[in-house]
Amino acid sequence: MPSIKNVEVGVIAHGLGIKEVYSGEGKVYLTCFDMLKQKGVSFVPISFAKPRKTQSVHTLPFSLPKFDKYQRLLVKISASKVKPKVFLNLSGVPIPLSSIASHLVYAGAPAISSLPSKYKGIWKLYLLPFYLYLPALKREASRIEIIANSNLSAEAISEVYGIPKPKVIYPPVDVEKFELAYKCKERDDMFITVGRIERGKMLENAVNLSARTGIRGIIVGSLIEKDYLERLLKLARETGAKVKILYDLPQNELVKLMGKAKVYFHPTIGEHFGIPVVEAMAAGLTPLVPVKSGAYEIVPKELGYSTIDEASTKLKDLMKVDMKEKVHEISKGFSSSAFKDKMWEHLSKYL
């Protein structure tokens, strides 16, 4: 375990104890670790469950790939073992820590906001601890600084915690890595979708899009829910969708695939941001994203959709249009170095 004596920053990163995935949150963790190393700042990662590869201060002695939302709350148990100058909370929930040290939170939209969610009907019971703990979260949110990962998230944070709309820093993206695909000229009439293979990513929208348009699609993501994968495959068979699903694909293979497609389709309505959208733009793909998403804030407005019918019409049109240069230029503003500079500006105040 890393030393917890005289540490300057305690980095709350609950997801370290969850199976490594194609994860925007995971990218934020690694970028912040790198930032702290470059600045010569001592830090210790903090998770609830034991990470598979990274060291951390943790409570559960084994990795726990499920119960992500609960781990965002339970990580407080681990954090209470550390007394840094400041907690950099990358798990997004303002758990009460300001009585121990200064507390800076980087957050997406709260799970209990009014944004579209996979937690419907009886599944809302899964979020019950958040509703019960909400008064404590509101008190902490009123005392500390919160930074949002998009304007959509900022509005949701303000709504749930009753605080002024937070400042926004968009997440870091490996723009340079995905730019390797930008120079690929010969591209197929095909779209790509990237997202963890779990219900919350709404990947059935990509299957239905292919079925309605007859356009080939590839879904790439880390396999989290095997039963959901089976549902997607069944849906593809029943609808005649021309969709291939590739899971746990190495990132260099994903970059190669992006060099072959024309469009990136983002299926997750209500997504706080969507790092794959920027990765795809860096690779020269034209993004097609939900209007109700953080990604819509950064793309040309004609590239948003509200329904699958609208997405179907736009996808057919986009196969004939070349916006490669325009979207690639937009992606340059989302580099890891830009994120580090902005995050350090906020964090350094507490050191």
Side-chain angles (χ1 to χ4, degrees):
M1 184 198 306
S3 172
I4 60 175
K5 294 181 179 179
N6 303 316
V7 69
E8 294 176 275
V9 182
V11 184
I12 309 292
H14 83 285
L16 292 173
I18 296 172
K19 179 182 177 183
E20 292 192 22
V21 293
Y22 286 104
S23 165
E25 197 165 45
K27 171 64 177 171
V28 170
Y29 296 166
L30 296 177
T31 304
C32 286
F33 294 164
D34 194 44
M35 172 190 72
L36 293 169
K37 289 174 185 174
Q38 289 175 353
K39 297 296 182 181
V41 175
S42 61
F43 69 96
V44 62
I46 302 169
S47 58
F48 174 64
K50 183 180 180 180
R52 292 174 181 240
K53 295 181 180 179
T54 312
Q55 286 190 314
S56 78
V57 174
H58 54 269
T59 301
L60 205 64
F62 52 84
S63 177
L64 183 64
K66 296 288 187 179
F67 306 110
D68 167 85
K69 294 293 184 289
Y70 291 174
Q71 292 191 54
R72 292 176 192 269
L73 294 175
L74 293 170
V75 71
K76 180 181 184 296
I77 300 171
S78 306
S80 298
K81 302 174 185 176
V82 185
K83 193 168 183 180
K85 288 184 180 178
V86 57
F87 286 108
L88 175 57
N89 186 343
L90 305 178
S91 291
V93 179
I95 48 178
L97 292 174
S98 56
S99 60
I100 301 174
S102 298
H103 187 188
L104 174 64
V105 178
Y106 184 64
I112 56 176
S113 74
S114 59
L115 289 174
S117 170
K118 65 180 177 181
Y119 301 108
K120 301 173 183 176
I122 194 169
W123 282 102
K124 280 191 175 181
L125 292 175
Y126 180 76
L127 299 177
L128 185 59
F130 283 85
Y131 289 102
L132 296 175
Y133 206 38
L134 186 56
L137 299 180
K138 282 185 172 181
R139 283 193 297 271
E140 183 73 359
S142 68
R143 297 169 180 159
I144 63 174
E145 181 179 5
I146 298 179
I147 300 170
N149 64 3
S150 68
N151 285 297
L152 184 80
S153 292
E155 290 169 3
I157 289 166
S158 176
E159 166 206 325
V160 171
Y161 300 130
I163 60 173
K165 186 179 172 182
K167 291 183 179 179
V168 172
I169 298 178
Y170 288 118
V173 182
D174 279 328
V175 172
E176 297 83 1
K177 185 176 291 185
F178 284 85
E179 277 182 335
L180 296 174
Y182 175 67
K183 295 180 182 178
C184 296
K185 295 180 179 178
E186 296 299 320
R187 297 182 181 242
D188 299 332
D189 284 345
M190 178 178 79
F191 71 86
I192 284 182
T193 291
V194 178
R196 296 189 300 276
I197 300 174
E198 61 177 7
R199 287 182 307 116
K201 293 301 180 181
M202 306 179 192
L203 299 175
E204 59 275 10
N205 287 339
V207 176
N208 287 325
L209 182 67
S210 175
R212 294 189 188 197
T213 60
I215 294 173
R216 190 158 55 98
I218 297 179
I219 297 172
V220 182
S222 295
L223 180 57
I224 304 299
E225 299 178 8
K226 290 183 180 179
D227 58 336
Y228 182 59
L229 172 62
E230 292 302 321
R231 280 170 49 195
L232 292 174
L233 293 171
K234 182 181 178 184
L235 179 63
R237 289 193 298 270
E238 291 175 346
T239 60
K242 299 175 182 177
V243 168
K244 182 184 289 186
I245 303 176
L246 305 175
Y247 54 86
D248 299 335
L249 195 71
Q251 195 174 67
N252 64 320
E253 293 298 318
L254 173 60
V255 174
K256 289 179 184 177
L257 273 177
M258 283 191 172
K260 298 176 181 177
K262 290 183 178 179
V263 172
Y264 175 81
F265 174 70
H266 203 62
T268 317
I269 299 168
E271 180 90 282
H272 309 162
F273 182 67
I275 285 178
V277 176
V278 182
E279 292 173 340
M281 289 196 293
L285 283 79
T286 303
L288 184 56
V289 307
V291 169
K292 196 69 172 179
S293 71
Y296 185 62
E297 299 169 18
I298 65 164
V299 304
K301 294 309 170 217
E302 66 269 25
L303 300 179
Y305 70 89
S306 296
T307 66
I308 296 300
D309 283 339
E310 184 181 9
S312 299
T313 300
K314 290 193 173 186
L315 179 65
K316 291 175 183 177
D317 292 338
L318 290 175
M319 289 297 164
K320 307 168 190 173
V321 177
D322 185 1
M323 297 184 68
K324 185 178 174 184
E325 200 169 309
K326 184 176 183 178
V327 297
H328 177 256
E329 194 61 32
I330 293 172
S331 74
K332 293 179 181 179
F334 297 88
S335 67
S336 294
S337 59
F339 173 85
K340 289 176 188 175
D341 289 344
K342 293 172 185 175
M343 185 60 76
W344 179 249
E345 184 180 340
H346 287 266
L347 181 65
S348 60
K349 295 183 296 186
Y350 301 99
L351 299 173

